[in-house]
Amino acid sequence: SLRAEGPFVLATKGDSVTVHFKRGGTQSFYKPQKIAFVPGKDSTSFLVVQKSARDKQVFDLRGGKLFASGFDALEYVGEDIFAISKKDRKGLVNRRGESLLATEYDAIGTIKGSVISVLKNKKFGAYNTETRKFIKPDYDRNPIPYNASTLLTHKNGSYGFIGWDNKPLPPFEFDEVQYWNDSIALTKKGAAWGLYDIQSHRLI
C-alpha cells in the first residue's frame, strides 16, 4: 500500500515501510510503530519515525537523519530549532538534538525576530536564538524586543524595560509604552505622556 505523509510517500509491504524522500532517496524501516509528518515553514518538512517509545528518529526532507530521542511530541519552531514535549513539559533542541532549553516549560511559542517566548507557572520569558541569551519566566506578559539590547515587558501591573542580561532598567512604572525610535520610547503614566530615554532612564 502507498500513502502520503505531507511531502513524503510511504510504501508498506509486509512488516517493512519504505519512505520515499525528495529527489528520489529512500529508506526502509522494519516494523516501525508510527511514522508522522512534522510541518515546517516555507518548504521545510520533517518526518518522525518511531521505533519504540524511547526511540524516535527525525529526518529532514531529503532523508538526512537529524537526531533520535525519547520525546512525546515534536514541533518545528523555525531556524533549525524544535520544541520537544515530555510528560506535558516542553523544551528546545537544535537540529542535532542538542538541548537549548531544558524540558520544563508549560508552553513554547514560535520564532519572531529571533526570539522565542516561553511560559512557566503563568509567567513569561524569552530565548534569543542568535545570542542564546535567556530571559527567565518572571513576567506577566511576553518580553518584546524594543531594540537590539532592550526588551519591553510587564510586571506587577506596569510596563518597564529589561536588558538581555535579565536586569531591570528602572523604573517599572508605565501604564502604556509605544515605540518612538531605538533609544526613546513614548510612555504614559497616569494621564501624562512623555518621551523616555531608555539608556539614561529619564524623561526628556
Side-chain angles (χ1 to χ4, degrees):
S1 65
L2 294 173
R3 81 173 194 270
E5 283 285 343
F8 307 94
V9 176
L10 279 57
T12 302
K13 185 176 182 180
D15 292 333
S16 296
V17 177
T18 299
V19 179
H20 293 256
F21 295 93
K22 190 175 181 180
R23 294 189 178 179
T26 64
Q27 287 201 46
S28 296
F29 303 92
Y30 180 68
K31 288 185 176 180
Q33 291 185 1
K34 184 178 180 182
I35 297 180
F37 161 62
V38 178
K41 296 184 177 182
D42 301 324
S43 59
T44 308
S45 299
F46 305 92
L47 195 71
V48 176
V49 178
Q50 179 177 340
K51 291 188 173 182
S52 68
R54 296 184 179 182
D55 185 5
K56 297 179 181 179
Q57 300 178 358
V58 182
F59 295 85
D60 64 18
L61 192 59
R62 298 182 180 182
K65 181 179 175 181
L66 303 183
F67 62 92
S69 180
F71 52 81
D72 298 329
L74 181 77
E75 179 183 359
Y76 184 68
V77 298
E79 296 184 14
D80 288 336
I81 296 177
F82 297 87
I84 61 171
S85 300
K86 293 181 180 180
K87 297 181 179 179
D88 297 325
R89 292 290 180 265
K90 295 187 176 184
L92 291 177
V93 299
N94 62 20
R95 66 181 288 116
R96 295 181 296 276
E98 299 166 341
S99 177
L100 302 177
L101 287 182
T103 313
E104 60 183 49
Y105 300 95
D106 300 322
I108 291 179
T110 56
I111 292 178
K112 294 182 180 179
S114 299
V115 176
I116 304 173
S117 62
V118 301
L119 177 70
K120 184 178 181 180
N121 298 327
K122 298 182 179 180
K123 297 292 184 180
F124 292 91
Y127 177 79
N128 190 312
T129 62
E130 291 183 351
T131 64
R132 294 199 175 187
K133 291 184 177 180
F134 181 52
I135 302 294
K136 294 181 179 180
D138 194 35
Y139 302 96
D140 302 328
R141 300 180 186 177
N142 277 328
I144 301 172
Y146 190 88
N147 56 34
S149 60
T150 308
L151 299 98
L152 171 67
T153 189
H154 193 274
K155 187 174 183 179
N156 299 326
S158 298
Y159 286 97
F161 298 93
I162 58 174
W164 275 107
D165 55 5
N166 211 22
K167 293 180 180 179
L169 305 175
F172 262 74
E173 63 178 12
F174 303 115
D175 299 319
E176 190 174 344
V177 176
Q178 296 183 16
Y179 182 83
W180 187 262
N181 61 36
D182 280 355
S183 58
I184 297 173
L186 180 62
T187 61
K188 182 182 181 183
K189 184 178 180 182
W193 287 90
L195 293 175
Y196 178 74
D197 188 305
I198 298 172
Q199 189 171 20
S200 64
H201 318 313
R202 65 183 181 88
L203 287 172
I204 58 173

